Each structure stands twice: as structure tokens, then as C-alpha cells.
Amino acid sequence: MTLENVSINKSFGGWHKQYSHHSDSLNCSMRFAIFLPPGASNDQRVPVLYWLSGLTCSDENFMHKAGAQRLAAELGIAIVAPDTSPRGDKVPDDESYDLGQGAGFYVNATQAPWHRHYRMYDYLVEELPALIEATFPVNERRAIAGHSMGGHGALMIGLRNPDRYRSMSAFSPISNPSLCPWGQKAFGAYLGSDSAAWHQYDASLLMRDAVNGPPALVDQGSSDPYLTEQLQPQALQAAAKASGYPLQLNLREGYDHSYYFIASFIDQHLKFHASHLQG
């Protein structure tokens, strides 16, 4: 597979790089960003935190706004930020911001016209990690995290693949997408009307039935405008209580849905992941 370097910047002694490549899963060209901490080499391979962003975002939002590189450099953790959907002139899209390009919801679509390209689950679980581990000085110790739609993706993927990830975390995740407007719109379009297909991508339902899985850290702002209608963290908390799942959910007073919130607590998330990625 051919990687094309898009940009490169030195950051806190390490390197932030963007690449594009053809994705077989998505049938289009995709872009991702990677931060490699100082000292990462074939003789010193480092663990990886995969970061999934939210609606309308790309690989750039987290890398530009979260301020994660300083501590990631100190902790010796690589960060990989993929795009949020397939893109391109031949990729189906929608006029609304919450469906189509920039709104892949990290599922494998089964419905036309989405099914040919919108297979973000396969891309993130199989194709992208294989590419990263074959190309860069990283090892197979993985963690996954995300924000909003990406928080849904991170928790769902972690819960469905407990042997692939050491830990998972989320900021303001769409916790119960089967029962909120964002999730119902996306799932209906991508997956059709079969509720069983929806449930395999719903973090609260997966956590309720989980018998094992990576420890989870979730931060939610109390002043988030989407808190009640779209995010529903109480569903995730109830699911963890029902199954005894190792979830730490923090309600942060006065914080909203923005990257100001993420930047305020990203260090705690990086330290949480580092504690599970060592050795």
C-alpha cells in the first residue's frame, strides 16, 4: 500500500505527520494524522492511542486543538487520528451535517447508497491498525478514545474488541445512539430498520451485556447543550451498574461540548491510558 505524506511538523521533540492512502475498506482515498513521540524507533516501538473525532471533524481537529502532544511525548505514546468518514466526489453525501461525509458514525453500512463506501468499522478495527503497525515504529499495545460521535465509536469499538484494546475513553460520547436523534437518523440510513443491527453499535447496550472489556473513562460537561437529548450518559452509567463494568464517569460542572473542555482534561485521559499501555 502506498502512503503519500501530506505534511510534517516537529512537535515537543516528536513528529506530527499527515498521510493519505487508498482504503480498500472504504473504496476511496483516506487521510490520517499520526503523532510519534521522541525516541520512537524500530528498536523502541511505542503504544498507540487511536482518537476518533466527532461530527463535521477531520483528522485535524484533535491534533490542532486538544494540546495532547506535550504529555504524549513525555509518556511515549503515539496518537493516530483518522478522518471521520470516507470522502470524495464519488462518495455519497447528504446536505445535513449529521449524515454522510464527516458523519460516518464508525459503522459498516449495509444500505444503499452508503454500503459501498461507509465501512468505517472495518477500516478502524482492521485496515488502519494493520497499516500503522506495518509502517511506523509502534507496537500492538492499543488504546482508543474519542469525542461525541467519536466517543460513541471509541466505546463501541472497545467493547466489541476487548482483546485489541488495553483501555478506552470518551469525552461527551453519544452513549445510547439507538435512542437519540443523531443515532436514529444515522443508523436508519446506514443500517436500515433492523434493531439488532443497531444494537451491535450501541455502547450502552453493549456495556449492559459485557462480561469483560477494557476499563473505561468518560468525561461529560454539565453545560453541554446536547447533554439531555443526544448524549444521555445516564444510559451508559446504568449499563455499567447492571453488568458491573469498570467505568469511571465524571460529570464536569460548567463545561460544554467544545475542545476547551477536551483540552482541560486530556492529560487525565492520557495518563489513564498510559497506566494500561505499559508492558
Side-chain angles (χ1 to χ4, degrees):
M1 183 179 296
T2 302
L3 283 179
E4 179 181 350
N5 182 239
V6 177
S7 69
I8 181 169
N9 303 93
K10 193 163 188 178
S11 179
F12 294 98
W15 295 96
H16 170 271
K17 302 179 181 184
Q18 283 180 307
Y19 290 91
S20 64
H21 71 103
H22 176 79
S23 166
D24 291 336
S25 301
L26 305 174
N27 292 299
C28 67
S29 178
M30 286 294 286
R31 193 176 72 185
F32 67 87
I34 183 168
F35 172 73
L36 291 168
S41 69
N42 287 333
D43 294 326
Q44 186 175 330
R45 294 179 173 266
V46 297
V48 184
L49 172 65
Y50 288 86
W51 174 271
L52 310 185
S53 288
L55 289 167
T56 75
C57 292
S58 70
D59 64 288
E60 295 185 333
N61 299 72
F62 178 79
M63 293 300 203
H64 286 181
K65 297 179 180 180
Q69 291 90 340
R70 177 191 60 78
L71 187 57
E74 294 178 14
L75 295 171
I77 297 173
I79 301 174
V80 171
D83 205 346
T84 53
S85 79
R87 296 185 193 266
D89 294 340
K90 297 181 180 180
V91 174
D93 199 7
D94 191 86
E95 292 182 355
S96 58
Y97 74 96
D98 53 359
L99 189 68
Q101 295 187 33
F105 269 82
Y106 306 108
V107 304
N108 282 342
T110 59
Q111 306 298 303
W114 313 102
H115 61 294
R116 174 168 164 75
H117 296 282
Y118 284 75
R119 301 187 62 82
M120 288 295 291
Y121 180 87
D122 281 353
Y123 177 69
L124 291 169
V125 174
E126 300 291 346
E127 185 178 5
L128 183 61
L131 173 62
I132 296 297
E133 289 163 18
T135 307
F136 299 100
V138 302
N139 56 42
E140 294 183 354
R141 297 198 300 271
R142 311 176 195 96
I144 192 165
H147 171 233
S148 194
M149 177 186 73
H152 137 73
L155 296 176
M156 175 269 293
I157 288 172
L159 285 161
R160 288 183 58 174
N161 300 274
D163 296 333
R164 292 184 65 86
Y165 302 96
R166 300 281 188 97
S167 54
M168 60 185 185
S169 74
F171 289 86
S172 317
I174 303 173
S175 297
N176 198 185
S178 296
L179 295 177
C180 80
W182 277 340
Q184 290 171 336
K185 179 177 181 178
F187 285 6
Y190 297 143
L191 304 173
S193 59
D194 181 5
S195 61
W198 291 26
H199 290 176
Q200 67 178 322
Y201 294 110
D202 189 308
S204 290
L205 298 178
L206 292 168
M207 189 172 285
R208 182 194 65 190
D209 297 332
V211 294
N212 64 0
L217 171 64
V218 172
D219 275 288
Q220 171 65 59
S222 68
S223 295
D224 191 317
Y226 307 112
L227 176 60
T228 302
E229 182 179 33
Q230 303 283 13
L231 305 181
Q232 304 176 12
Q234 70 278 1
L236 200 64
Q237 198 162 39
K241 183 177 181 180
S243 64
Y245 199 88
L247 167 70
Q248 178 184 342
L249 196 157
N250 303 313
L251 186 64
R252 303 294 189 178
E253 187 65 31
Y255 286 90
D256 58 18
H257 199 72
S258 71
Y259 269 85
Y260 295 108
F261 172 45
I262 295 172
S264 297
F265 297 100
I266 191 62
D267 282 6
Q268 286 91 324
H269 283 241
L270 289 171
K271 291 175 182 176
F272 166 76
H273 290 297
S275 70
H276 296 285
L277 288 169
Q278 303 308 316

